[in-house]
Amino acid sequence: MENYISVKETAKRWNISPRRIQMLCNENKVLGAKKHSGVWLIPCGVKKPERMKLGAKRKDTATLRVLSLFSGCGGMDLGFEGGFRVLRKSVNTTIHKEWKIEEEGENWLRLPKNKYRTVFANDIKPEAKAAWSNYFKKRGLDGTSYYLDSIVDLVKLEKENKRNIFPESVDIVTGGFPCQDFSIAGKRLGLASDKGHNGKKMNRNGPTVENRGQLYMWMREVIAMTKPKVFIAENVKGLTNLHDVKEIIEKDFSLVCNEGYLVVPARVLNAARYGVPQGRERLIFFGFKKSELTGEALEKLSAEKVDPEYDPYPIPTHYLEREKRLKDELPFVTVRNAFIDLQEPDKSEDVSQQKYSKAKFMGKHCQGQQEIKLDGIGPTIRSEHHGNIEFRRLSKEHGGVYDEELNIGMEERRLTIRECARIQTFPDDYDFVIPRQGENLSVSASQAYKIIGNAVPPLLAFHIAKRLEENWRKYFGDSND
């Protein structure tokens, strides 16, 4: 059995700092190193990685390092990394001629890989980590870089010098801070949420900075500690009409590092405008580190009306209403488009397509009792399970309209896990219903519905990431070349 030694012991042997050892481990350059309870363990006999020859370029010189917070199952992470399969109809190759697209059959394309690499992720849900680790290990990411801890606890650990948590040399911080307290589907308690950072009910009287509605303040702490060139935060559209919460959050973010960040006014993006077969609207915040921006970029991004050339928000590629179509935009992607090639659950070999909620129809006065419109935009996939998942098909008795399917005996049923994932633009090689593997828990169908509904659509995240990548030199000069 392999013997392991600590980072501190290894640092003494190799005559370099413990922090450097941790960085080498995070970059997968220490053969056989593994993480246990957040601590790196180094094989006893492993050799020190060879230095790069003088003048030789590192292979990952151009890589931009991403620290992901509130990561869930990785919709934002996948979008930033790129290199996944999407529907042909979801990509507008006229608007984005520069994208190096690979064709995969008649109906599918593979998006190019981006320059980003996820070096850290976290969430409090074990099932989210299990799904993330199971998928991203196939892409060469180490599951030990995913911390199953509250951001509040991680920040406290780092500040108290109990443990080195957050990696150094981070270029981008992303985070979809919890949205339940701002969503129109919830109580809308906002910043005064009665839930704690761990998702549990709080017993304290009055609001506290550790409640779920103020977790963006802890994202702000991570930004202050890691000092990325740019951060991107995401939340629900409902935040924009809840008192002056949007403006409060923009102001709080701008105060990081003694007003060191320029926060571009947050904007609502509708995923359907970017080829996602779903009417999902999300509020996106961009913050740029002022000291890293070029003089011209600082001036352009600070303007009351941002120059389109410097605008960090991606250009829409699809239109929703024909009369509002702009030049070269494609029609929205329908649910029927999204479900192409999918077999019925009893005929599919995909476990995520076999599984669906068996909750019976409860009357149209309840949430989730609607039949989806195959030739329309899909419903917003919510973090729900069982009785709140929309129906793929309803019986005539319950108002179903798909006579052709009903007449050949297809049953009334709710959307499958895979159908929800397709509407969210997750690729089919992402398994959501998985057995227990090592330290990772299993993921049930009920849990899969929830983590899919919590995610940022990967294709929307790809548009955000690609726009930032294309403008990187414009914003920051040649600092990463």
Side-chain angles (χ1 to χ4, degrees):
M1 185 176 178
E2 181 80 75
N3 291 320
Y4 293 88
I5 57 176
S6 69
V7 165
K8 194 172 181 180
E9 291 173 291
T10 307
K12 284 182 181 178
R13 287 188 182 188
W14 293 355
N15 196 29
I16 57 176
S17 71
R19 176 60 100 176
R20 181 62 182 150
I21 299 287
Q22 290 169 331
M23 288 176 65
L24 289 169
C25 290
N26 283 326
E27 293 168 359
N28 296 320
K29 291 182 178 175
V30 180
L31 194 63
K34 68 178 185 178
K35 215 175 213 179
H36 181 69
S37 300
V39 178
W40 281 106
L41 299 176
I42 317 295
C44 242
V46 71
K47 292 182 179 179
K48 179 180 176 181
E50 289 185 21
R51 279 180 171 274
M52 300 297 294
K53 291 180 182 177
L54 193 62
K57 258 192 171 179
R58 282 176 49 181
K59 190 176 180 181
D60 64 346
T61 299
T63 298
L64 299 170
R65 292 161 57 83
V66 180
L67 187 155
S68 165
L69 301 172
F70 312 107
S71 312
C73 64
M76 184 72 88
D77 306 337
L78 180 54
F80 264 75
E81 298 240 340
F84 59 99
R85 198 177 78 152
V86 294
L87 281 166
R88 179 182 292 274
K89 290 179 182 288
S90 288
V91 180
N92 191 325
T93 52
T94 301
I95 289 178
H96 289 298
K97 296 185 180 74
E98 75 283 4
W99 289 1
K100 295 178 180 177
I101 302 291
E102 293 179 21
E103 300 205 4
E104 294 200 351
E106 183 182 352
N107 300 310
W108 300 92
L109 299 172
R110 184 166 294 275
L111 294 172
K113 288 185 178 179
N114 294 327
K115 292 169 65 173
Y116 308 99
R117 191 69 168 169
T118 308
V119 296
F120 179 99
N122 98 290
D123 207 280
I124 60 171
K125 291 181 169 55
E127 60 271 20
K129 179 183 179 180
W132 190 100
S133 300
N134 184 65
Y135 177 73
F136 282 95
K137 72 181 179 185
K138 295 184 282 190
R139 299 174 62 91
L141 294 185
D142 185 358
T144 58
S145 62
Y146 193 117
Y147 283 72
L148 190 60
D149 296 281
S150 156
I151 187 173
V152 175
D153 293 332
L154 292 174
V155 168
K156 286 180 177 179
L157 276 171
E158 176 91 8
K159 281 191 165 184
E160 292 166 7
N161 294 318
K162 290 183 178 179
R163 194 184 301 171
N164 293 317
I165 302 295
F166 303 109
E168 294 181 337
S169 304
V170 169
D171 296 296
I172 302 129
V173 168
T174 66
F177 53 94
C179 63
Q180 298 96 318
D181 303 299
F182 305 110
S183 172
I184 57 172
K187 296 179 183 177
R188 309 212 74 193
L189 295 175
L191 302 180
S193 172
D194 58 358
K195 291 291 182 69
H197 59 90
N198 56 7
K200 296 178 181 178
K201 184 88 171 178
M202 298 186 76
N203 296 319
R204 301 177 188 179
N205 294 321
T208 163
V209 76
E210 291 189 15
N211 75 35
R212 189 175 62 185
Q214 295 199 43
L215 287 183
Y216 78 91
M217 291 292 283
W218 294 86
M219 178 176 178
R220 199 184 84 149
E221 288 287 328
V222 176
I223 293 165
M225 293 161 76
T226 57
K227 299 176 177 60
K229 290 184 175 68
V230 61
F231 69 81
I232 300 165
E234 173 265 345
N235 210 280
V236 292
K237 178 187 177 183
L239 186 148
T240 61
N241 54 31
L242 184 65
H243 310 300
D244 53 355
V245 170
K246 180 179 88 73
E247 289 73 22
I248 290 172
I249 292 175
E250 287 174 343
K251 180 66 174 176
D252 284 337
F253 274 136
S254 71
L255 295 175
V256 176
C257 299
N258 296 316
E259 300 186 18
Y261 281 83
L262 168 64
V263 178
V264 179
R267 194 179 301 174
V268 173
L269 301 183
N270 187 337
R273 297 292 311 279
Y274 299 92
V276 178
Q278 178 186 186
R280 192 182 192 93
E281 294 180 294
R282 285 298 182 267
L283 183 67
I284 306 296
F285 299 82
F286 273 96
F288 294 88
K289 191 177 181 184
K290 294 177 183 178
S291 62
E292 295 283 356
L293 288 170
T294 66
E296 186 173 3
L298 181 59
E299 179 186 347
K300 299 286 189 183
L301 290 169
S302 301
E304 188 174 340
K305 187 176 181 181
V306 177
D307 186 324
E309 191 179 335
Y310 283 80
D311 191 345
Y313 293 96
I315 302 164
T317 55
H318 292 67
Y319 64 90
L320 306 186
E321 300 174 49
R322 187 170 294 278
E323 62 272 20
K324 293 184 180 179
R325 178 187 181 186
L326 298 178
K327 184 184 177 184
D328 295 329
E329 287 185 342
L330 297 175
F332 65 81
V333 180
T334 68
V335 175
R336 192 184 299 277
N337 296 149
F339 290 173
I340 197 164
D341 301 332
L342 281 182
Q343 296 179 309
E344 281 296 294
D346 60 341
K347 294 181 172 61
S348 177
E349 295 182 2
D350 176 6
V351 177
S352 293
Q353 176 63 3
Q354 294 169 1
K355 301 290 185 181
Y356 60 92
S357 167
K358 302 301 194 297
K360 302 298 182 183
F361 178 74
M362 296 180 287
K364 294 195 174 181
H365 61 286
C366 302
Q367 189 181 57
Q369 309 308 304
Q370 303 295 319
E371 182 180 68
I372 57 163
K373 297 176 182 177
L374 286 177
D375 294 312
I377 298 170
T380 297
I381 302 300
R382 304 178 307 278
S383 181
E384 302 284 4
H385 64 108
H386 296 310
N388 290 330
I389 300 299
E390 276 80 2
F391 278 84
R392 162 63 180 84
R393 181 185 309 112
L394 279 170
S395 65
K396 285 184 180 179
E397 176 192 357
H398 295 146
V401 300
Y402 300 120
D403 291 345
E404 196 174 295
E405 296 180 345
L406 295 169
N407 290 339
I408 60 173
M410 289 188 175
E411 64 176 338
E412 176 177 280
R413 66 167 176 82
R414 295 179 186 270
L415 291 170
T416 66
I417 302 299
R418 180 61 64 205
E419 287 165 346
C420 289
R422 283 274 188 100
I423 290 172
Q424 277 278 60
T425 66
F426 279 98
D428 286 354
D429 62 346
Y430 195 125
D431 299 316
F432 284 99
V433 182
I434 55 178
R436 184 184 179 98
Q437 297 177 354
E439 294 182 0
N440 283 334
L441 299 177
S442 61
V443 181
S444 68
S446 178
Q447 291 169 330
Y449 276 129
K450 287 186 175 182
I451 61 176
I452 291 170
N454 265 331
V456 176
L459 180 55
L460 176 61
F462 180 87
H463 276 270
I464 293 168
K466 203 66 179 171
R467 176 69 174 172
L468 180 61
E469 180 184 284
E470 290 163 356
N471 275 0
W472 193 266
R473 291 184 67 180
K474 207 173 289 180
Y475 295 146
F476 305 111
D478 298 336
S479 58
N480 275 76
D481 286 3

